[in-house]
Amino acid sequence: MNATNMTDALLNALGIYGLEGLPLLVAQVAVGAILAAVIILVIALVTYYKRKFMGDAAVRIGPNRTGPFGILIWVADAIKLIQKEDIVHRDADPWVFNAGPIVMVTATVMTFAVVPFGYGLVFSNMDVGLVYLFAISELSLLGVIMAGYGSNNKWATISTLRAVLQTISYEITLIIAALGVVMVAGTFNLHEIVLAQEGTFFGILPRWFVFTQPVAFVLFTVAMFGEIMRNPFDLPEAESELVAGYYTEYSGFKFALIFFAEFGHMVLATFVLTTIFLGGWLGPSFLPGVLWFTVKAYFVLLLIFVMRMTHPRVRPDQMLQLGWKGLLELSFVNLVLTGVVLAVVA
Amino acid sequence: MNKPPAVRLFGEVGARPGGKHTLECDPSDVGNVCSKIRDAGFDFLSFVTAVERGDSFEVVYHMRNTGEWERLFLKTEVPRDEASLPTVSDVWRAANWHEREVYDLFGVEFDGHPKLERIILHENWVGHPLRKDYEEREQDITLDMIDLVDDEGGEDHDVMYVNVGPQHPAAHGVARIQAAFDGEMVEKVNFDIGFMHRGVEKLCETFEYRQIVPYYDRMDWTGPSNVEGAYVRAVEELLEVEAPPRAQYLRVIASELGRITGHLIGVGQMAMDLTGMTGVIFMYCWREREKALDLLDMMTGGRLTHNYMTIGGTRYDLSEGLEEKALKFTKEMREAIVEYHSLTTENEVFRARTVGTGVMDGDLMLDWGVTGPSLRGSGVDYDLRRDDPYFLYEDFDFDVITYPDGGNYDRFEVRMDEMEESCRIIEQALDEMPGGDHQAKVPKRLRADGEHYAAVEAPKGEFGTYIVADGTNKPQRLKIRTPSFSNIACVEDLVRGEKIPDLVVGFASLDPVFGEVDR
């Protein structure tokens, strides 16, 4: 069966077939909005979990007042932030300043469209899924630049320069490492990349790309930390140096949007890593695919949290050294070796 | 040439010897005399201050030499209406800030000073508060947030001037660093302090000797018990009162617990500046600090401001049950230090960030007047607990920790190791606690005469008190020599040419507390 996308699946489930033209567009937008809302909810819950987990790890209690175990803290946060005054300071460029967070959030939510959460559970089953993913997630960097330059603040400027530098340095490694997987899988389609990981070696070891492409996995993970700007590559935010980096001047709801976009980016990164290296939704059949996916993504998320809590951030020059003088070369070596092996095997 | 340097000096510089290695000279000779003093081996200027003597100011310099840790006072009198004398900031770098402070608070001018501006008060301030005839008046203080630097640079000059603070996560209180960044490189920094100036020295002139102790608590809130020691030591030595051994041991326990609480903040905040708020190490330090504070609470009745040491003893005797709790704490503390090491010095990224950054050699550190763990991190083996013992510290067996390289990493390690030594000292003090009273008999009304300087080894360095008494029950002048004030002066040299992240970390590695910088 050719994997369909989630929009069609949902419409079919509602008994709606054969829509065309404007009605189809309306239906797709409606379904898309619902799904985006679900993603937003997931991200909000992750913020709750992050606070609880980090609280425990740092011998604090964490949120415990709003709702049972403080689970509604994200609602309280959102209400608080919406109520706050929306400040656009005198020297800022209001258009760019206001558009920045919107671009960031839009780009982040859009990227989730190609992530397959389970068999057939993908919003948009694109053949160029991986290309789309890298392209759109890079758009959020545009949002960062807009926010940073629009702020007209020196900290924000330094932060923006760092963000651009860092993203460019690690993006190449990220893509080249992913290309190794693409070569083995023979497709850019994320859904099919997961399907290519079905089966096991010797009946025990799953055929996940983390085992067939281990170097690419390590490179991808390191570059991913650089991409999502988390410790030890926390340079653009670097709150002890750059106050709050590119969002220093933001307040109220726009601040919430930026925070949300950052979190979304992080969650997306865990999803992508799960999809292309950890076999996505694949797993023994006693659990549904979506749950397997969640469990795997959860462990990747834990990795990000633990790194954040225990590792200092590197200096900008160290970040560049690692990116350009280590990861990049290794990723190309991996690509060439993969090609050679594939040629020999084929 | 086996004679001590101070003795060698007399006769050579044409000054007459006074008591306790005191030299006096003409104001115009100060530059000359100081160069000779420096050549004689006095490489550490601990403070410069002034004392009002009728129609003139007596400017006092206090030096030590690293060879024998001998002390020397240099005094000179300048007339009140024409108060000016040559600068010695070219002899000791440390004089730079201290002379500015004297200029700021007394109006004594130092000719040839590279930057004779107000350091603690605002530049628009009128009057010099430490003069006896100073009257309060309304001051016109406008906060100029935009014109930080006169020269914003031409178009072809790629320097960005940034205001780090007074409200900045890494300001560790309220300090402003005006920094010039060339890309990620720090080209130049200029410190602006005084945001927390509360006029403690002026206040102390209005209180009786016993009432002053609580004001010391409020200067270094990270380890207040040490700081109290700096005051009671000076007053006791001035009055020739001796606290009973039991009191001295209790003071040692309080001081070492204070050192642990102080170093825990120093270590924790430096790790936090490296990691960010999400790092767990700071909270882990806080966890142990809470236990130490509980102990101090038991001993003194206060968590933050103890007011524990009195002139001639301590306020309370050893609390019941403290011994077991303290021994439990030192055990837990040692385990915790292992945990801190696993999160910091054993972490690859931490090492990459701190080893070889913020390096300054010991001679330069001394020249800047840096003391305490920051100095010992540059390999200078100097600890007042051993070199100028007080509170019966000579009874205890402990090591003075030094690390050779003088980088951020070394200063961090010194603090980590000193916490272990503090645990050792606490255990010894509890083990050998002498009996007897914890308070000596001291006259109800304390009247002192003469002058005296005494210092203790506070968590940040040499914390000293220079008392000038005039026979009444209040000090005529009380100069507080705070370690952080002298320590952070060297940041200009420390971070030049480093990257922005190392500006923050280098600053944190000196562990300043702004309560004592600004007083």
Side-chain angles (χ1 to χ4, degrees):
Chain A
M1 175 191 134
N2 192 15
T4 55
N5 64 48
M6 213 145 47
T7 322
D8 291 344
L10 273 170
L11 287 177
N12 292 350
L14 291 171
I16 303 168
Y17 296 95
L19 283 182
E20 268 178 27
L22 195 62
L24 177 67
L25 192 67
V26 171
Q28 278 176 337
V29 168
V31 172
I34 294 166
L35 297 175
V38 171
I39 289 294
I40 287 168
L41 190 69
V42 168
I43 294 172
L45 287 173
V46 170
T47 65
Y48 162 75
Y49 178 71
K50 175 227 167 190
R51 293 172 70 157
K52 218 47 186 169
F53 180 79
M54 286 200 169
D56 271 0
V59 287
R60 291 180 284 116
I61 294 171
N64 67 344
R65 298 280 153 163
T66 42
F69 307 107
I71 200 159
L72 294 177
I73 186 70
W74 58 278
V75 180
D77 268 349
I79 293 171
K80 179 193 76 178
L81 285 168
I82 290 170
Q83 283 176 333
K84 292 216 166 182
E85 188 187 352
D86 179 32
I87 300 167
V88 182
H89 70 98
R90 195 180 49 199
D91 294 335
D93 183 334
W95 280 98
V96 182
F97 185 79
N98 291 333
I102 298 170
V103 171
M104 282 174 76
V105 171
T106 314
T108 306
V109 176
M110 272 169 74
T111 31
F112 283 96
V114 289
V115 178
F117 300 100
Y119 184 76
L121 273 178
V122 53
F123 299 165
S124 172
N125 192 16
M126 268 184 233
D127 279 343
V128 288
L130 203 60
V131 179
Y132 168 88
L133 187 105
F134 287 129
I136 301 295
S137 73
E138 257 345 66
L139 266 185
S140 82
L141 179 67
L142 184 68
V144 170
I145 297 171
M146 289 167 80
Y149 274 139
S151 297
N152 197 4
N153 173 306
K154 287 170 179 174
W155 296 121
T157 308
I158 298 174
S159 160
T160 312
L161 292 173
R162 280 186 183 184
V164 174
L165 205 59
Q166 182 170 325
T167 314
I168 290 173
S169 307
Y170 284 78
E171 185 72 12
I172 304 173
T173 308
L174 197 75
I175 293 174
I176 303 290
L179 275 185
V181 170
V182 171
M183 283 169 75
V184 179
T187 172
F188 276 111
N189 187 320
L190 285 166
H191 198 267
E192 282 165 32
I193 287 179
V194 175
L195 289 177
Q197 301 177 61
E198 264 186 323
T200 52
F201 296 114
F202 322 114
I204 346 162
L205 200 64
R207 300 177 76 98
W208 297 348
F209 286 130
V210 61
F211 300 115
T212 45
Q213 285 278 319
V215 181
F217 173 71
V218 173
L219 292 171
F220 191 90
T221 313
V222 176
M224 178 191 85
F225 276 102
E227 274 294 297
I228 60 173
M229 300 170 191
R230 294 288 163 196
N231 277 0
F233 301 104
D234 189 19
L235 302 167
E237 192 179 322
E239 72 264 31
S240 54
E241 300 150 25
L242 305 181
V243 189
Y246 53 87
Y247 57 87
T248 304
E249 296 290 350
Y250 283 91
S251 67
F253 192 57
K254 279 181 289 196
F255 176 81
L257 284 183
I258 291 182
F259 234 80
F260 175 78
E262 281 213 325
F263 247 94
H265 220 84
M266 192 172 83
V267 173
L268 176 78
T270 67
F271 286 0
V272 173
L273 196 73
T274 309
T275 305
I276 63 179
F277 284 104
L278 302 178
W281 70 82
L282 300 173
S285 56
F286 59 86
L287 280 182
V290 182
L291 261 183
W292 276 117
F293 186 87
T294 314
V295 168
K296 289 174 191 171
Y298 168 78
F299 279 104
V300 179
L301 202 62
L302 277 194
L303 175 74
I304 295 176
F305 287 167
V306 171
M307 287 297 281
R308 253 193 115 171
M309 289 185 297
T310 53
H311 279 62
R313 70 178 77 85
V314 297
R315 258 201 320 270
D317 54 321
Q318 291 168 334
M319 176 270 288
L320 288 175
Q321 289 241 345
L322 181 68
W324 291 102
K325 295 190 186 165
L327 299 181
L328 190 64
E329 284 77 0
L330 270 177
S331 63
F332 276 109
V333 168
N334 180 59
L335 192 69
V336 170
L337 282 182
T338 309
V340 170
V341 170
L342 280 178
V344 170
V345 171
Chain B
M1 291 297 266
N2 286 335
K3 288 173 184 168
V7 176
R8 241 184 284 151
L9 272 170
F10 301 133
E12 284 179 23
V13 294
R16 58 195 162 79
K20 292 187 202 169
H21 295 315
T22 304
L23 283 175
E24 283 172 26
C25 73
D26 270 354
S28 53
D29 279 346
V30 163
N32 225 340
V33 173
C34 281
S35 328
K36 291 213 170 129
I37 291 174
R38 165 129 219 188
D39 291 344
F42 286 89
D43 45 7
F44 172 64
L45 176 79
S46 98
F47 67 87
V48 180
T49 190
V51 181
E52 192 164 330
R53 302 269 193 207
D55 275 347
S56 58
F57 290 121
E58 185 181 77
V59 181
V60 183
Y61 301 77
H62 178 240
M63 297 69 113
R64 288 173 190 259
N65 82 56
T66 38
E68 286 108 40
W69 290 110
E70 210 177 2
R71 292 154 53 179
L72 176 68
F73 287 94
L74 176 70
K75 292 179 181 174
T76 182
E77 289 223 345
V78 287
R80 198 189 158 89
D81 30 340
E82 249 181 278
S84 89
L85 69 165
T87 177
V88 296
S89 57
D90 45 352
V91 184
W92 296 280
R93 286 182 174 84
N96 190 322
W97 277 30
H98 284 278
E99 285 182 349
R100 280 176 69 187
E101 189 192 310
V102 174
Y103 165 73
D104 189 356
L105 302 177
F106 282 95
V108 178
E109 289 187 11
F110 293 87
D111 302 330
H113 190 285
K115 190 183 174 188
L116 196 63
E117 291 169 11
R118 285 186 181 271
I119 185 165
I120 284 176
L121 301 177
H122 190 262
E123 55 186 13
N124 294 346
W125 197 274
V126 179
H128 301 284
L130 283 186
R131 291 185 174 197
K132 293 284 181 196
D133 61 354
Y134 174 77
E135 279 176 16
E136 271 183 57
R137 49 167 289 174
E138 203 159 303
Q139 300 282 355
D140 169 37
I141 294 175
T142 45
L143 275 178
D144 236 344
M145 298 305 280
I146 298 161
D147 299 327
L148 298 173
V149 189
D150 325 325
D151 167 37
E152 272 279 328
E155 273 180 18
D156 47 32
H157 193 44
D158 286 339
V159 172
M160 186 193 247
Y161 290 100
V162 185
N163 217 1
V164 187
Q167 304 299 331
H168 186 274
H172 293 204
V174 271
R176 183 167 76 162
I177 306 173
Q178 300 167 349
F181 295 148
D182 179 5
E184 283 278 347
M185 191 100 87
V186 181
E187 255 197 9
K188 196 174 169 237
V189 297
N190 178 27
F191 245 104
D192 183 7
I193 62 169
F195 292 90
M196 278 184 74
H197 182 58
R198 293 153 293 173
V200 175
E201 291 177 13
K202 184 83 175 173
L203 268 173
C204 288
E205 290 173 12
T206 65
F207 289 112
E208 289 185 25
Y209 287 106
R210 278 206 185 84
Q211 295 175 314
I212 293 174
V213 181
Y215 286 89
Y216 271 70
D217 283 334
R218 283 153 180 81
M219 276 185 282
D220 178 2
W221 49 74
T222 64
S225 31
N226 288 276
V227 178
E228 288 174 8
Y231 176 70
V232 295
R233 180 183 187 197
V235 177
E236 281 175 9
E237 286 178 6
L238 181 67
L239 292 168
E240 289 169 3
V241 173
E242 203 160 314
R246 191 174 175 83
Q248 305 279 35
Y249 271 59
L250 286 170
R251 286 174 179 181
V252 166
I253 296 174
S255 295
E256 294 308 319
L257 279 174
R259 192 178 317 281
I260 290 176
T261 58
H263 282 350
L264 278 175
I265 290 193
V267 165
Q269 74 187 358
M270 183 172 157
M272 187 169 71
D273 279 353
L274 280 160
T275 319
M277 274 307 287
T278 45
V280 288
I281 170 81
F282 183 71
M283 288 308 291
Y284 287 0
C285 290
W286 220 248
R287 178 186 62 198
E288 262 59 51
R289 188 169 192 273
E290 195 61 33
K291 295 175 190 165
L293 286 181
D294 279 347
L295 289 175
L296 281 166
D297 193 11
M298 271 180 88
M299 276 183 90
T300 68
R303 279 164 59 88
L304 190 64
T305 51
H306 306 322
N307 194 9
Y308 181 57
M309 298 183 194
T310 57
I311 293 160
T314 57
R315 197 162 295 280
Y316 306 110
D317 202 350
L318 189 67
S319 319
E320 218 168 288
L322 184 91
E323 193 170 341
E324 301 87 79
K325 275 204 161 181
L327 290 176
K328 184 162 162 271
F329 167 72
T330 53
K331 192 166 153 277
E332 288 171 349
M333 188 67 215
R334 289 208 174 88
E335 285 162 13
I337 290 171
V338 175
E339 192 182 11
Y340 302 158
H341 272 295
S342 73
L343 276 165
T344 53
T345 54
E346 286 163 23
N347 183 310
E348 203 57 44
V349 183
F350 185 91
R351 293 180 70 94
R353 277 298 307 279
T354 51
V355 175
T357 60
V359 178
M360 194 183 249
D361 71 74
D363 291 342
L364 198 57
M365 279 265 182
L366 264 180
D367 200 27
W368 274 111
V370 178
T371 46
S374 308
L375 181 65
R376 291 192 282 275
S378 292
V380 180
D381 191 7
Y382 170 41
D383 190 323
L384 285 172
R385 289 177 293 175
R386 185 199 60 199
D387 297 321
D388 183 12
Y390 55 97
F391 298 168
L392 301 179
Y393 261 112
E394 60 267 34
D395 289 4
F396 297 98
D397 173 33
F398 62 95
D399 296 329
V400 176
I401 309 291
T402 56
Y403 272 78
D405 296 333
N408 293 335
Y409 179 81
D410 299 67
R411 291 190 279 277
F412 185 87
E413 279 279 36
V414 167
R415 293 202 176 85
M416 292 285 257
D417 291 1
E418 278 191 3
M419 289 194 284
E420 282 198 55
E421 293 302 316
S422 293
C423 290
R424 263 177 79 189
I425 296 174
I426 292 170
E427 283 163 3
Q428 289 172 43
L430 287 166
D431 199 33
E432 295 154 19
M433 177 66 70
D437 207 359
H438 63 94
Q439 173 71 46
K441 290 264 182 285
V442 181
K444 272 236 164 66
R445 300 207 64 159
L446 294 172
R447 286 174 199 283
D449 206 358
E451 52 195 62
H452 189 70
Y453 175 75
V456 298
E457 185 71 29
K460 324 289 180 217
E462 177 181 333
F463 204 110
T465 304
Y466 179 62
I467 299 184
V468 179
D470 54 0
T472 61
N473 58 349
K474 292 169 185 168
Q476 197 254 346
R477 164 98 178 96
L478 194 98
K479 158 74 187 171
I480 303 164
R481 192 266 179 210
T482 55
S484 293
F485 179 81
S486 302
N487 287 2
I488 61 170
C490 78
V491 167
E492 291 173 27
D493 272 2
L494 192 74
V495 301
R496 190 176 299 128
E498 303 270 354
K499 305 284 188 297
I500 296 173
D502 288 338
L503 163 69
V504 170
V505 175
F507 182 49
S509 75
L510 297 169
D511 190 15
V513 171
F514 277 83
E516 55 169 274
V517 173
D518 300 338
R519 279 156 288 154

